[in-house]
Amino acid sequence: ATERTLSIIKPDAVAKNAIGEIIARFEKAGLQVVAAKMQHLSQEQAEGFYAEHKERPFFKDLVGFMTSGPVVVQVLEGDNAIAKNRELMGATNPKEAAPGTIRADFAETIDANAVHGSDSPESAQREVAYFFHADEICPR
Ligand code: CMP
């Protein structure tokens, strides 16, 4: 089924000038960018986005990292978009990510792991709405 998922190109990948190469992987896999913006997240924005991780030991570092530089936030649309994006990204820890995945190719550590992608239809709906108003999404 056609789905939408939220993708974030994180500060490490933006700093590496890898925005285009990462978006090219989405497009080559048949996902369409239907919304996109570059943003330097505030602490409140990052904390709210990652609220489900609030009690985890890595939360403070995660928020610090995600506010360390600009990110590119996108809505990707396509058949099976949520799982497809997660396949393209590879495992959360780049050291465990399969060869040829975005995290294997662009990231070294679990904290600075190049990309975020929604992990379920429920989180996709929440995460897309967290960053985009309905009228900022441009179906094609
Ligand atoms: P992301 O998919 O953006 O969701 C939460 C992020 O927390 C995750 O990617 C990692 O970059 C980061 N993180 C740091 N340590 C861990 C950990 N032990 N388990 C899961 N995520 C972690």
Side-chain angles (χ1 to χ4, degrees):
T2 300
E3 293 175 339
R4 286 179 181 171
T5 190
L6 188 87
S7 161
I8 304 179
I9 302 176
K10 297 188 180 186
D12 58 320
V14 172
K16 280 183 184 163
N17 239 7
I19 297 168
E21 287 188 66
I22 291 172
I23 292 179
R25 292 185 181 210
F26 300 145
E27 293 188 328
K28 281 179 184 149
L31 297 174
Q32 295 186 324
V33 178
V34 295
K37 61 184 163 191
M38 193 163 199
Q39 206 168 313
H40 195 139
L41 300 181
S42 67
Q43 185 172 328
E44 291 70 34
Q45 281 175 311
E47 286 176 350
F49 181 74
Y50 281 119
E52 65 179 302
H53 295 305
K54 212 176 159 128
E55 306 305 329
R56 308 282 290 273
F58 57 81
F59 184 69
K60 200 163 175 275
D61 286 348
L62 172 62
V63 170
F65 171 66
M66 290 300 288
T67 57
S68 67
V71 299
V72 179
V73 192
Q74 310 130 87
V75 179
L76 305 176
E77 184 176 270
D79 191 46
N80 207 19
I82 297 165
K84 195 176 271 182
N85 181 39
R86 290 181 71 80
E87 262 174 53
L88 293 169
M89 292 193 297
T92 303
N93 186 345
K95 293 181 171 65
E96 292 161 10
T101 60
I102 293 169
R103 284 166 169 159
D105 290 345
F106 295 101
E108 279 87 45
T109 70
I110 193 167
D111 297 295
N113 65 352
V115 280
H116 168 85
S118 309
D119 66 2
S120 68
E122 294 70 33
S123 55
Q125 195 164 32
R126 181 187 83 83
E127 292 178 0
V128 167
Y130 191 83
F131 281 110
F132 294 97
H133 292 119
D135 66 2
E136 293 179 297
I137 300 172
C138 306
R140 293 185 282 164

